[in-house]
Amino acid sequence: MTFIRMAQSLSFVMVVALLAFSPLCSSQASGSAYLYPQFYDRSCPKAVEIVKSVVAKAVAREARMAASLLRLHFHDCFVKGCDASILLDTTGTMISEKNSIPNRNSARGFEVIDEIKSALEKECPHTVSCADIMALAARDSTVLTGGPSWDVPLGRRDSRDASLSGSNSNIPAPNNTFQTILTKFKLKKLNIVDMVALSGSHTIGNARCTTFRQRLYNQSGNGQPDFSLVHSYAAQLRTRCPKSGGDQNLFFLDFVSPTKFDNSYFKNLLANKGLLSSDQILTTQSAVSLELVKKYAANCELFFEQFAKSMLKMGNISPLTGSRGVIRKNCRKINT
């Protein structure tokens, strides 16, 4: 009997061992790998720290860079998924997403990504993807400016192409209607809660005069300003954003605490002092979004908690994994 029990035990151990090495358990090999924070623990253990170090230096040099790196991740994920396609330069056969309307003359931070990639290639060549660098840089930028932290799932790979048309059509625009913006979020499996929370990233950063000029002079095509914008704030904005000219003049998205990641953005919206039309419509076009704005304005911790959750969801939009992507040696170019 003892011999039989030992044989049964050995059989069970062998089955477990076989299952452990079965290709069905290797999602990486099957091309359907999932993302997880410890992805580089063995292949490049210093990866997360290297990204954090370079981002910290960049933000110390220029506070605005935090918002730029956060925006870069957002503008990448909303096109073809979080695949670093936004980083690719134009070639003879491909037009860069940098030339799209949402990115032209405004997307920035590419040199910081280059600096991170260069440091990582020295530490562990051909290992860390540009897409993962962007996801980590977005998290680090948020934390460095006082915002929440989250464990970034890793293991994304990089695309082999870009989509100018996708960049032009998928990224929410400052003058889009509420429904249009919500639809763009829903197409990426993000809901109205994600939309309001992620809009809260406008608690840091700048916007150009050209992105909100219509609110000051011709909101509805009748030569009248936006009724939802406080007169005194509008008058202040007009001094540096005239009817013509000054397109590139920069304005704080959150004039109260422009370099601090907090919930002032939502408080500004409740005071009708949102800079972009896409900001203010969160309080004027939907009872659901208005209620969320009120909650986040009243409770910064609640906003931080939801922002982290929504960033995790956004960072998981259609990632390339396994054989479906590559690790670019240079984030700006396709491997040759």
Side-chain angles (χ1 to χ4, degrees):
M1 290 294 289
T2 303
F3 176 77
I4 293 172
R5 279 198 293 269
M6 284 177 64
Q8 287 174 335
S9 297
L10 282 169
S11 296
F12 176 75
V13 170
M14 289 173 69
V15 168
V16 171
L18 285 168
L19 284 172
F21 288 101
S22 165
L24 290 173
C25 293
S26 175
S27 56
Q28 187 79 353
S30 69
S32 58
Y34 59 93
L35 311 179
Y36 55 100
Q38 300 81 18
F39 188 84
Y40 297 111
D41 280 6
R42 290 186 178 180
S43 60
C44 192
K46 294 182 181 177
V48 174
E49 282 304 315
I50 287 172
V51 176
K52 187 182 295 183
S53 173
V54 177
V55 171
K57 289 173 188 172
V59 174
R61 286 194 301 265
E62 182 193 14
R64 182 188 172 201
M65 187 53 68
S68 298
L69 291 171
L70 186 54
R71 183 173 184 257
L72 208 54
H73 183 44
F74 179 84
H75 279 215
D76 180 52
C77 292
F78 260 69
V79 179
K80 300 192 297 97
C82 308
D83 61 1
S85 60
I86 193 174
L87 302 178
L88 290 168
D89 287 337
T90 296
T91 66
T93 57
M94 178 187 70
I95 302 177
S96 172
E97 291 170 21
K98 297 173 185 177
N99 293 334
S100 70
I101 294 169
N103 294 329
R104 193 167 53 237
N105 298 321
S106 66
R108 56 199 302 277
F110 301 109
E111 295 79 10
V112 178
I113 302 297
D114 290 341
E115 190 180 343
I116 296 169
K117 182 61 173 173
S118 177
L120 286 170
E121 284 299 309
K122 286 177 186 172
E123 178 69 23
C124 33
H126 207 58
T127 302
V128 183
S129 70
C130 302
D132 278 344
I133 289 172
M134 294 175 74
L136 287 166
R139 188 272 310 274
D140 294 340
S141 295
T142 302
V143 174
L144 282 164
T145 48
S149 185
W150 58 92
D151 291 330
V152 179
L154 302 166
R156 300 167 190 79
R157 291 171 76 86
D158 302 323
S159 67
R160 297 179 176 87
D161 60 357
S163 175
L164 179 68
S165 60
S167 188
N168 276 322
S169 60
N170 296 356
I171 297 171
N175 58 352
N176 278 163
T177 64
F178 180 90
Q179 197 54 53
T180 297
I181 295 173
L182 183 57
T183 298
K184 289 180 179 182
F185 271 79
K186 285 182 175 178
L187 286 171
K188 299 301 176 184
K189 304 290 192 293
L190 299 171
N191 58 32
I192 192 167
V193 177
D194 300 313
M195 174 179 155
V196 176
L198 292 174
S199 294
S201 63
H202 285 179
T203 184
I204 55 174
N206 301 265
R208 296 170 298 148
C209 164
T210 185
T211 61
F212 62 88
R213 174 183 281 124
Q214 86 285 349
R215 295 193 72 202
L216 303 179
Y217 304 101
N218 191 23
Q219 174 68 355
S220 304
N222 58 0
Q224 296 299 311
D226 187 346
F227 73 91
S228 67
L229 191 62
V230 167
H231 294 312
S232 58
Y233 184 45
Q236 184 184 336
L237 295 172
R238 284 191 200 97
T239 60
R240 291 184 50 245
C241 187
K243 275 189 177 181
S244 61
D247 285 7
Q248 306 305 315
N249 290 350
L250 293 174
F251 294 77
F252 293 129
L253 285 159
D254 168 11
F255 65 90
V256 174
S257 51
T259 59
K260 183 173 172 54
F261 200 103
D262 55 22
N263 63 341
S264 291
Y265 165 81
F266 296 106
K267 295 176 182 178
N268 294 340
L269 296 188
L270 293 178
N272 289 323
K273 292 182 178 180
L275 183 64
L276 306 178
S277 175
S278 56
D279 293 324
Q280 198 61 61
I281 56 176
L282 296 180
T283 64
T284 61
Q285 301 296 309
S286 162
V288 176
S289 64
L290 172 59
E291 206 51 43
L292 288 166
V293 169
K294 288 178 179 177
K295 285 182 179 179
Y296 298 150
N299 189 334
C300 194
E301 285 184 15
L302 183 66
F303 163 49
F304 277 19
E305 183 183 330
Q306 185 56 54
F307 184 81
K309 287 178 182 176
S310 295
M311 283 297 291
L312 281 167
K313 281 178 71 176
M314 189 189 80
N316 202 37
I317 297 174
S318 306
L320 298 176
T321 54
S323 59
R324 292 175 55 240
V326 297
I327 304 294
R328 282 190 229 133
K329 294 177 184 177
N330 180 333
C331 291
R332 295 173 180 263
K333 300 176 182 177
I334 305 296
N335 294 342
T336 53

